[in-house]
Amino acid sequence: MDFSVTPLTPELGAEIRGLDLRKPLDDTTMARVRRIWLDHVIVLFPEQDIDDDQQIAFSRQIGALEMINMAALQVPGKPEVYRATNLDQDDNFMPIDHPVMQTNRDNQKWHTDSSFKHVPATASLLHARIVPEAGGETEFANLAAAYDALDDATKEQIDDLIVVHNFFWSRKGVDAIAFTEEEKAAIPPVRHPLARVHPETGRKVIYIGSHAEKIEGMGWEESRALIDRLNEHATQPRFTYRHNWCVGDMIWWDNRAALHRGLAYDATGQKRRLHRTTVAGTGPTL
Ligand code: OGA
Ligand code: MN
């Protein structure tokens, strides 16, 4: 199948036009697209008029899917699909104090999906169904480019460190309302290499973000200072791309090589609904 590829920025992202994601891609096309995705970290497919089942089918061509860890966030009957939205199941506004609205605000902190799991996610795909007139963009940061740009002393300092990612660190204060005890017990803190070797590209990435709580073997203050410094370094404008959504846009990103965050919008006056599928990881990071 023939398609066009246009880089989004020199460091991050490629736009692919000419493919129809309603139908399965043949193996050769899929392998070519996957290579482009590995090289560019995120791939944008504009103007895709797909439904949940087609999104699930395309995502399964990439790998096995994660189920969403909180019932309130799923599309009813489809635990593979996460609703990133300020709307209830009837597309009416949710009250601002609804636990799901807090989860949306937590997605405004830089993070990588499922890094709080022992086997974190490989990829995520967001498809825009309803978009606000202003705001609500999603930003991405390239963690491999950020690692490469570190000075040698910092690379040496972080190369053998272990970072603890903890969902209830990044979500402290609000989780109690939204999660059942069983859902909570299923996500204890986990250990990852701070300088993670990407399993497909072999590049090192700074495996960081808001779920990163502390560095093993370091005092609390020192550990927080290092995490904050690395988060700031990795999210400088030169490593990032901001996507302004149009209905039909599909973005497929590499959770092993990118941070992302949603940007704020008028969540009580503007409707926004994006559907996400999440490709599970293939093994532990250590
Ligand atoms: C997500 C996420 C941000 C956004 O769905 O994983 O972080 O812009 N979304 O909705
Ligand atoms: Mn996310």
Side-chain angles (χ1 to χ4, degrees):
M1 284 181 224
D2 218 23
F3 58 88
S4 69
V5 184
T6 316
L8 294 172
T9 77
E11 285 284 12
L12 184 60
E15 176 179 309
I16 293 187
R17 284 186 183 267
L19 293 178
D20 180 353
L21 303 184
R22 287 175 300 186
K23 294 170 285 189
L25 300 185
D26 63 74
D27 290 350
T28 315
T29 306
M30 193 63 208
R32 280 172 61 208
V33 172
R34 191 175 182 105
R35 188 66 249 168
I36 292 160
W37 169 68
L38 288 170
D39 289 343
H40 293 269
V41 180
I42 79 172
V43 167
L44 162 66
F45 303 92
E47 294 174 20
Q48 297 293 334
D49 185 16
I50 56 170
D51 62 22
D52 289 325
D53 290 330
Q54 290 159 338
Q55 179 166 350
I56 290 170
F58 175 64
S59 306
R60 286 215 170 107
Q61 284 202 276
I62 301 164
L65 300 190
E66 282 190 0
M67 300 300 133
I68 305 314
N69 67 5
M70 196 172 132
L73 297 171
Q74 299 168 3
V75 167
K78 295 191 197 295
E80 303 90 346
V81 186
Y82 170 97
R83 295 168 86 248
T85 188
N86 57 336
L87 307 175
D88 66 17
Q89 303 293 353
D90 300 318
D91 279 344
N92 295 315
F93 289 107
M94 278 187 285
I96 199 78
D97 58 352
H98 193 285
V100 168
M101 296 292 265
Q102 180 59 46
T103 300
N104 291 341
R105 287 190 289 275
D106 287 331
N107 279 341
Q108 294 174 7
K109 300 177 197 162
W110 287 105
H111 65 282
T112 172
D113 291 335
S114 300
S115 72
F116 49 82
K117 292 186 181 174
H118 178 57
V119 177
T122 292
S124 295
L125 300 96
L126 263 181
H127 183 244
R129 308 290 175 94
I130 300 174
V131 302
E133 273 165 34
E137 303 93 336
T138 305
E139 276 189 322
F140 300 88
N142 185 338
L143 294 174
Y147 179 88
D148 289 346
L150 290 172
D151 58 71
D152 288 345
T154 308
K155 283 182 185 163
E156 208 175 304
Q157 181 195 6
I158 72 168
D159 267 350
D160 296 317
L161 292 178
I162 302 289
V163 59
V164 174
H165 285 237
N166 181 0
F167 186 80
F168 294 110
W169 161 255
S170 51
R171 306 293 158 105
K172 46 184 178 304
V174 288
D175 49 85
I177 340 159
F179 280 80
T180 65
E181 286 306 315
E182 206 180 353
E183 283 171 333
K184 275 199 216 175
I187 24 186
V190 294
R191 307 166 70 236
H192 298 299
L194 180 55
R196 182 181 176 192
V197 178
H198 189 290
E200 284 184 85
T201 64
R203 290 182 77 183
K204 279 192 181 163
V205 308
I206 312 173
Y207 200 57
I208 196 88
S210 58
H211 301 312
E213 180 184 17
K214 59 188 175 189
I215 311 282
E216 254 180 33
M218 239 185 218
W220 177 254
E221 298 296 333
E222 192 194 352
S223 151
R224 284 310 314 167
L226 179 57
I227 290 171
D228 290 345
R229 178 159 78 85
L230 292 172
N231 274 327
E232 260 168 50
H233 167 79
T235 55
Q236 295 172 75
R238 63 178 161 143
F239 304 126
T240 66
Y241 165 69
R242 176 180 298 185
H243 188 66
N244 193 7
W245 293 98
C246 293
V247 170
D249 284 348
M250 166 82 108
I251 290 189
W252 168 23
W253 71 87
D254 189 338
N255 277 312
R256 304 159 299 182
L259 293 180
H260 63 278
R261 64 170 176 180
L263 296 186
Y265 62 103
D266 172 13
T268 53
Q270 292 274 321
K271 295 189 174 187
R272 182 182 194 264
R273 178 158 57 81
L274 285 78
H275 287 199
R276 191 190 86 201
T277 39
T278 314
V279 178
T282 48
T285 59
L286 279 164

